Coordinates of all heavy atoms in Angstrom, one line a residue:
I258 N 149.8 107.8 127.3 CA 148.8 108.7 126.8 C 148.1 109.4 127.9 O 147.9 110.7 127.8 CB 147.8 107.9 126.0 CG1 148.4 107.4 124.7 CG2 146.6 108.8 125.6 CD1 147.6 106.4 123.9
E259 N 147.8 108.8 128.9 CA 147.1 109.4 130.1 C 148.1 110.4 130.7 O 147.7 111.6 131.0 CB 146.7 108.4 131.1 CG 146.0 108.9 132.3 CD 144.7 109.5 132.1 OE1 144.0 108.9 131.2 OE2 144.2 110.4 132.8
R260 N 149.3 110.1 130.9 CA 150.3 110.9 131.6 C 150.6 112.2 130.8 O 150.9 113.2 131.2 CB 151.7 110.2 131.8 CG 151.5 109.1 132.8 CD 151.5 109.6 134.2 NE 152.8 110.2 134.7 CZ 153.0 110.7 135.8 NH1 152.0 110.7 136.7 NH2 154.2 111.2 136.2
A261 N 150.6 111.9 129.4 CA 150.8 113.1 128.4 C 149.6 114.0 128.2 O 149.5 115.1 127.7 CB 151.1 112.6 127.1
G262 N 148.4 113.7 129.0 CA 147.2 114.6 129.0 C 146.4 114.3 127.6 O 145.8 115.3 127.2
R263 N 146.6 113.3 126.9 CA 146.0 113.1 125.7 C 144.9 112.1 125.6 O 144.4 111.7 124.5 CB 147.1 112.8 124.6 CG 148.0 113.9 124.5 CD 149.0 113.9 123.4 NE 150.1 114.9 123.5 CZ 150.9 115.1 122.6 NH1 151.0 114.4 121.4 NH2 151.9 116.1 122.7
S264 N 144.5 111.6 126.8 CA 143.5 110.5 126.8 C 142.1 111.2 126.3 O 141.8 112.3 126.7 CB 143.3 110.0 128.2 OG 142.2 109.1 128.2
K265 N 141.2 110.3 125.7 CA 139.9 110.8 125.3 C 138.8 110.1 126.1 O 137.6 110.2 125.7 CB 139.7 110.4 123.8 CG 140.7 111.0 122.9 CD 140.5 110.7 121.5 CE 141.6 111.3 120.6 NZ 141.4 111.0 119.1
V266 N 139.2 109.6 127.3 CA 138.3 108.9 128.1 C 137.1 109.8 128.5 O 136.0 109.3 128.6 CB 139.1 108.4 129.4 CG1 138.0 107.8 130.4 CG2 140.1 107.3 129.0
N267 N 137.3 111.0 128.8 CA 136.3 111.9 129.3 C 135.6 112.6 128.2 O 134.9 113.6 128.4 CB 136.7 112.8 130.4 CG 137.2 112.0 131.6 OD1 136.5 111.2 132.1 ND2 138.3 112.5 132.2
A268 N 136.0 112.3 126.9 CA 135.3 113.1 125.8 C 134.0 112.6 125.6 O 133.5 111.7 126.1 CB 136.2 112.8 124.5
L269 N 133.1 113.4 124.8 CA 131.9 113.1 124.5 C 131.7 112.0 123.5 O 130.7 111.4 123.4 CB 131.1 114.3 123.9 CG 130.9 115.5 124.8 CD1 130.3 116.7 124.0 CD2 130.1 115.2 126.0
L270 N 132.7 111.6 122.8 CA 132.8 110.5 121.8 C 132.5 109.2 122.4 O 133.1 108.8 123.4 CB 134.1 110.5 121.1 CG 134.5 111.8 120.3 CD1 135.9 111.8 120.0 CD2 133.6 111.9 119.0
H271 N 131.6 108.4 121.9 CA 131.2 107.1 122.4 C 131.6 106.0 121.5 O 131.4 104.8 121.9 CB 129.7 107.1 122.6 CG 129.2 108.1 123.6 ND1 129.6 108.1 124.9 CD2 128.3 109.2 123.4 CE1 129.0 109.1 125.5 NE2 128.2 109.7 124.7
D272 N 132.2 106.2 120.3 CA 132.7 105.2 119.5 C 134.2 104.8 120.0 O 134.7 105.3 121.0 CB 132.8 105.5 118.0 CG 133.4 106.9 117.8 OD1 133.8 107.5 118.7 OD2 133.4 107.3 116.6
R273 N 134.8 103.9 119.4 CA 136.0 103.3 119.9 C 137.2 104.5 119.7 O 137.4 104.8 118.5 CB 136.4 102.1 119.0 CG 135.4 101.0 119.3 CD 135.5 99.9 118.1 NE 136.8 99.2 118.3 CZ 136.9 98.1 118.9 NH1 135.8 97.4 119.4 NH2 138.0 97.4 118.9
Q274 N 137.6 104.9 120.8 CA 138.6 106.0 120.7 C 139.9 105.8 121.4 O 141.0 106.3 121.0 CB 138.0 107.2 121.4 CG 136.8 107.8 120.7 CD 137.3 108.5 119.3 OE1 138.3 109.1 119.3 NE2 136.4 108.6 118.4
G275 N 139.9 104.8 122.5 CA 141.2 104.5 123.1 C 142.1 103.7 122.2 O 141.6 103.1 121.4
L276 N 143.4 103.9 122.5 CA 144.4 103.3 121.6 C 144.1 101.7 121.5 O 144.3 101.1 120.5 CB 145.8 103.5 122.1 CG 146.9 103.0 121.2 CD1 147.0 103.7 119.9 CD2 148.2 103.1 121.9
S277 N 143.8 101.1 122.6 CA 143.5 99.7 122.7 C 142.3 99.2 121.9 O 142.2 98.1 121.6 CB 143.5 99.2 124.1 OG 144.7 99.5 124.9
E278 N 141.4 100.2 121.7 CA 140.1 99.9 121.0 C 140.2 100.1 119.6 O 139.4 99.6 118.8 CB 139.0 100.8 121.6 CG 138.7 100.5 123.1 CD 137.7 101.6 123.6 OE1 137.9 102.8 123.3 OE2 136.7 101.2 124.2
L279 N 141.1 100.9 119.1 CA 141.2 101.3 117.7 C 141.5 100.1 116.8 O 142.3 99.3 117.2 CB 142.3 102.4 117.5 CG 142.0 103.7 118.1 CD1 143.3 104.7 117.9 CD2 140.8 104.4 117.5
N280 N 140.8 100.1 115.6 CA 141.1 99.0 114.7 C 142.3 99.5 113.8 O 142.2 100.5 113.0 CB 139.9 98.8 113.8 CG 138.7 98.3 114.6 OD1 138.8 97.4 115.3 ND2 137.6 99.1 114.2
T281 N 143.5 98.9 114.1 CA 144.7 99.3 113.2 C 145.2 98.1 112.5 O 144.9 96.9 113.0 CB 145.8 100.0 114.1 OG1 146.1 99.0 115.1 CG2 145.3 101.2 114.8
Y282 N 145.9 98.2 111.5 CA 146.3 97.1 110.6 C 147.7 97.4 110.1 O 148.0 98.6 109.8 CB 145.3 96.9 109.4 CG 144.0 96.5 109.8 CD1 143.0 97.5 110.0 CD2 143.6 95.2 109.8 CE1 141.7 97.1 110.3 CE2 142.3 94.8 110.1 CZ 141.4 95.8 110.4 OH 140.1 95.4 110.7
T283 N 148.5 96.4 109.8 CA 149.6 96.5 108.9 C 149.0 96.5 107.5 O 147.9 96.2 107.3 CB 150.6 95.3 109.0 OG1 150.0 94.1 108.6 CG2 151.1 95.2 110.5

């Protein structure tokens, strides 16, 4: 994601945004 230039690390958003932080489910 970082290499593809799609990271949200420097975005203004402060809630869970990184892939590892997202709540995903089957």
Side-chain angles (χ1 to χ4, degrees):
I258 290 168
E259 181 70 32
R260 295 283 292 180
R263 302 188 183 188
S264 174
K265 301 180 184 181
V266 171
N267 295 318
L269 294 177
L270 299 163
H271 296 299
D272 49 2
R273 300 162 68 96
Q274 293 289 330
L276 184 67
S277 300
E278 299 175 311
L279 294 175
N280 302 309
T281 59
Y282 296 87
T283 66

